[in-house]
Amino acid sequence: MAPTPPERTEAVLTRFPSLAPLLARGALLSPFRRPDPSAAHPRTRLVLPGLRPDPAELAAYAKVCGFPAAADTLPVTYPHVLGFPLAMRLMSARDFPLPLLGLVHTSISVTRHRATPSAAFYDLTVYVDGLAPHRRGTEAAVVTELRSGDELVWESRSTYLARHSTTYSEGPERTGDHPGLPAVEEWRLPGDLGRRYGAASGDRNPIHLHPLTARLFGFPRAIAHGMWTVARCLAAHGVPDAAGVRAEFRAPVLLPGTVTYAADGGRFALRGGRGRIHLTGEVTSL
């Protein structure tokens, strides 16, 4: 019989963690990680109460992702950005078993239960939900929740893959490639897009910033943030106040580059040259 996992503890924060030292600590600890789906993982729920989104930061994010600048509601992907520093604190901690360097964001699912006014106060919670085997290694799930008082108004679940050799052959279910979706728009992405999104979101992973730092991790050029690609698609698609979103990141988008946004009904995709699929997703009204 497997041992019972320890109970979750709750840590209440008074401010956002500083990202730079967290990223540095995660990078330094990465070579010592030994990924294993049966490994222990952080059991702490980080909570930041009384949060009100900063209007200037929100405007910068909306601009780089293509959301309306003067909207009264948070962009559907913005709570993920708010939770990112808390997620980094958990994933850079000594008890997180996967290496932060090289960790790949593979999917995100979002449920927005109702409209989330941009001027409201919220309580933000982030925790690691568990580890699972993957055909390419070990995957961690990170949950982010946004509450207004006692009401859960927004939640997401992201999966992050640490690639390593494994005998596990089954993979998680994937949404279709949406090969028949009609093209809607073509987007030309500038070489500095990663730096612009990094400044707006706080995610300054070196693979997104410059060709030289991206090459250190095996990429010929800088790549776009996965969360920028899904945010840009959802800005073009539109999302009801109460909605579910599911997106899977398939292949990196090199910068500069040209991509095609395709959509039909609730489904959408981002395609590159020669039919390469970068992202697939779906929006459902609740």
Side-chain angles (χ1 to χ4, degrees), residues 15-153:
R15 56 187 173 85
F16 282 112
S18 179
L19 275 170
L22 295 179
L23 292 171
R25 182 176 68 182
L28 289 173
L29 291 175
S30 288
F32 304 100
R33 304 295 197 201
R34 297 295 180 266
D36 183 337
S38 64
H41 60 273
R43 305 292 299 175
T44 303
R45 296 169 61 96
L46 297 180
V47 180
L48 181 62
L51 165 68
R52 185 178 185 182
D54 181 89
E57 294 176 357
L58 179 57
Y61 176 84
K63 182 178 180 180
V64 75
C65 294
F67 290 104
D72 295 329
T73 298
L74 296 176
V76 67
T77 47
Y78 194 65
H80 174 89
V81 172
L82 295 175
F84 183 70
L86 281 66
M88 285 299 99
R89 175 163 164 171
L90 292 171
M91 292 195 287
S92 65
R94 292 186 178 277
D95 57 350
F96 185 72
L98 308 186
L100 193 61
L101 289 181
L103 208 59
V104 179
H105 196 179
T106 52
S107 74
I108 184 169
S109 59
V110 172
T111 302
R112 184 166 65 183
H113 298 280
R114 65 161 174 80
T116 50
S118 56
F121 287 88
Y122 299 99
D123 293 342
L124 180 68
T125 300
V126 179
Y127 60 93
V128 178
D129 196 37
L131 305 179
H134 186 279
R135 58 192 172 85
R136 292 184 178 177
T138 298
E139 208 167 47
V142 178
V143 171
T144 302
E145 300 173 341
L146 202 66
R147 284 179 169 80
S148 177
D150 294 330
E151 181 186 7
L152 179 64
V153 296

Side-chain angles (χ1 to χ4, degrees), residues 185-189 228-229 232-233 252-255 257-262 269-273 276 278:
E185 296 178 342
E186 185 177 88
W187 299 332
R188 297 183 183 276
L189 311 183
W228 178 87
T229 64
R232 183 67 187 89
C233 287
V253 176
L254 296 176
L255 300 172
T258 300
V259 293
T260 299
Y261 165 67
L270 197 65
R271 298 195 292 253
R276 190 180 196 193
H278 296 293

Side-chain angles (χ1 to χ4, degrees), residues 76 108-111 230 234 239 243-247 268 282-284:
V76 67
I108 184 169
S109 59
V110 172
T111 302
V230 69
L234 293 173
V239 180
V245 174
R246 169 75 182 177
F268 62 89
E282 188 169 6
V283 177
T284 56

